[in-house]
Amino acid sequence: MKNILLIDQTQSTQKAISEIMVGYIVICAVDATTAINLASETTPDIIIIELSLGGHSGMEFIYEFRTYSDWQNIPIIIYSTIRLEPSILQSKAWQNLNIGAYLYKPESSLRALKSNIEKLTNIEQ
């Protein structure tokens, strides 16, 4: 069974994603520090993150997460209420972060999220 590390402060989002991801173990964190600790305990197969977090932002988490050599190839999906500009999404710095997908919550369904998760977790590493 594959592990999803979901980093989102909203309980309704945590519940909705946990319910649609049957066959996956969804581990939830509400902040970046907790997420790093959870990833250390059980290496996730994929990460889903909201960029708007208390304390460290989601982007700060991603930058820190990518500094660990064991975690550089773990797919990350940004599922966020923050809209990123196309110039950011096309930048070299963004490409270096190896983001598997960026989904803007108000315009993305849970079905689209699930599809991206399945696509990224079925790739042989």
Side-chain angles (χ1 to χ4, degrees), residues 1-65:
M1 208 175 270
K2 301 213 183 227
N3 293 318
I4 296 172
L5 176 55
L6 171 60
I7 310 159
D8 195 304
Q9 294 176 299
T10 311
Q11 285 186 336
S12 59
T13 299
Q14 292 177 0
K15 184 175 188 241
I17 292 172
S18 295
E19 287 175 356
I20 66 160
M21 295 313 302
V22 176
Y24 289 77
I25 298 169
V26 180
I27 302 162
C28 299
V30 296
D31 59 50
T33 302
T34 303
I36 291 289
N37 292 334
L38 288 171
S40 294
E41 293 170 14
T42 305
T43 301
D45 294 296
I46 192 165
I47 294 181
I48 303 167
I49 188 166
E50 164 63 66
L51 295 178
S52 178
L53 299 172
H56 296 293
S57 74
M59 287 307 297
E60 289 172 323
F61 167 84
I62 293 168
Y63 278 106
E64 180 179 348
F65 191 78

Side-chain angles (χ1 to χ4, degrees), residues 6 29 35 50 53 58 60 72 83 86 96-97 99 125:
L6 171 60
E50 164 63 66
L53 299 172
E60 289 172 323
Q72 290 181 359
R83 182 188 296 273
N96 289 340
L97 290 174
I99 304 297
Q125 302 261 344

